[in-house]
């Protein structure tokens, strides 16, 4: 079996700060995703990547950048953190239109 | 893009009874409909899925139904147990969208002993 690792687990930032979240997977999956989950709510797609060096915008891409450095890693940047922002960012990977495997999440708090 | 509506947002049932969650989608090109379960503090996990060439699929106590004409699909949990208490998310995907999933807003299911 494989595993998805997200770092950091907790991220505390200041308003206006640029923050980077990292995700690694060893499933050898082609497709990777970044989702945002607000407390008690659904998952909203920020960016996804079909293969290395590919980048596709999701429904919530404004205010974020992403980078697929290599097949196993996908990073997400919050370009300017918003005050009082709190959410969990979930990374996932899959083989095309099959099961998505999720990481444990990065919990963001902006002071 | 695709939009998925999920109802109800909160569902409370008695242990041993059935629970039903309904989802609707807009894009008739969507052809893959997974369901994910998320327990408190955990990440979402796939529990069952259905593709557009099927109308019904069952895995143990989980039944999914798909009505392509009405653009609706549903999850039915028979004989619910307290361990079924969790958040449930439906999703829809169109193959040509590069495996992009659009999730519903979620249903918080509580099974009372």
């Amino acid at each position: 079996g494989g595993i998805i690792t997200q770092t950091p687990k907790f991220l505390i930032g200041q308003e206006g700060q640029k923050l980077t979240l990292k995700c690694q997977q060893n499933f050898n999956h082609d497709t990777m995703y970044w989702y945002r989950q607000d407390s008690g709510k659904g998952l909203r797609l920020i960016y996804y990547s079909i293969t290395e060096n590919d980048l596709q915008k999701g429904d919530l891409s404004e205010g974020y950048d992403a980078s697929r450095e290599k097949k196993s890693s996908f990073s997400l940047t919050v370009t300017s953190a918003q005050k009082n922002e709190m959410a969990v960012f979930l990374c996932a990977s899959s083989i095309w239109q099959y099961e998505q495997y999720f990481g444990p999440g990065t919990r963001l708090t902006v002071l | 893009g695709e939009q998925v509506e999920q109802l109800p947002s909160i569902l409370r049932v008695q242990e041993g009874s059935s629970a039903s969650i309904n989802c609707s989608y807009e894009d008739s090109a969507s052809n893959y409909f997974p369901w994910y379960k998320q327990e408190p503090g955990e990440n979402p996990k796939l529990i069952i899925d259905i593709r557009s060439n099927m109308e019904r699929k069952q895995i143990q106590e989980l039944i999914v139904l798909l009505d392509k004409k009405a653009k609706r699909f549903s999850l039915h949990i028979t004989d619910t147990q307290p361990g079924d208490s969790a958040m449930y998310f439906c999703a829809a995907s169109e193959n040509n969208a590069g495996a992009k999933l659009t999730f519903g807003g979620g249903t918080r299911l509580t099974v009372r002993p």
Side-chain angles (χ1 to χ4, degrees):
Chain A
I3 191 167
I4 295 183
T5 305
Q6 290 188 239
T7 55
K9 191 171 181 179
F10 298 96
L11 182 56
I12 300 175
Q14 301 288 330
E15 185 181 14
Q17 193 175 1
K18 187 174 176 181
L19 303 167
T20 299
L21 294 69
K22 293 189 182 294
C23 177
Q24 297 262 358
Q25 54 98 0
N26 64 359
F27 287 101
N28 200 35
H29 286 164
D30 288 315
T31 309
M32 294 186 74
Y33 311 79
W34 276 107
Y35 293 93
R36 174 183 167 128
Q37 185 173 32
D38 292 275
S39 181
K41 302 280 180 66
L43 287 76
R44 290 184 288 172
L45 183 65
I46 306 172
Y47 272 100
Y48 66 110
S49 168
I50 297 169
T51 188
E52 185 178 340
N53 294 320
D54 175 73
L55 203 57
Q56 309 278 341
K57 289 185 178 181
D59 300 321
L60 200 66
S61 60
E62 191 166 335
Y64 302 93
D65 284 326
S67 175
R68 183 81 180 272
E69 303 89 358
K70 49 186 178 180
K71 188 175 183 179
S72 62
S73 65
F74 193 29
S75 60
L76 179 73
T77 299
V78 181
T79 55
S80 178
Q82 301 298 303
K83 189 174 176 62
N84 297 324
E85 183 174 5
M86 285 181 64
V88 176
F89 291 84
L90 291 167
C91 175
S93 72
S94 74
I95 299 173
W96 197 244
Q97 202 184 46
Y98 290 91
E99 178 175 2
Q100 291 190 15
Y101 292 85
F102 286 83
T106 292
R107 187 173 296 275
L108 171 67
T109 302
V110 181
L111 303 175
Chain B
E2 176 66 285
Q3 305 257 3
V4 177
E5 184 176 15
Q6 181 173 348
L7 292 170
S9 56
I10 297 173
L11 181 59
R12 298 187 181 95
V13 299
Q14 202 69 35
E15 181 179 359
S17 66
S18 297
S20 296
I21 303 171
N22 299 295
C23 291
S24 61
Y25 60 98
E26 293 188 355
D27 190 347
S28 56
S30 288
N31 60 356
Y32 173 62
F33 307 92
W35 288 86
Y36 283 81
K37 177 183 180 182
Q38 185 176 29
E39 301 195 57
E42 299 289 322
N43 50 11
K45 292 181 175 62
L46 180 73
I47 53 173
I48 192 168
D49 57 13
I50 191 167
R51 295 188 183 270
S52 58
N53 59 347
M54 299 176 71
E55 295 178 348
R56 183 182 190 277
K57 183 174 181 178
Q58 180 167 2
I59 298 176
Q60 298 181 329
E61 79 280 5
L62 302 176
I63 300 170
V64 289
L65 302 175
L66 173 62
D67 182 342
K68 286 176 289 186
K69 282 186 180 175
K71 292 190 273 187
R72 291 179 186 165
F73 58 113
S74 56
L75 172 69
H76 306 273
I77 307 173
T78 61
D79 190 24
T80 53
Q81 300 298 312
D84 293 324
S85 297
M87 282 288 287
Y88 290 82
F89 297 99
C90 64
S93 170
E94 189 243 313
N95 192 46
N96 292 333
K100 176 185 172 185
L101 273 182
T102 301
F103 282 85
T107 297
R108 184 177 298 279
L109 172 64
T110 302
V111 180
R112 297 184 296 247

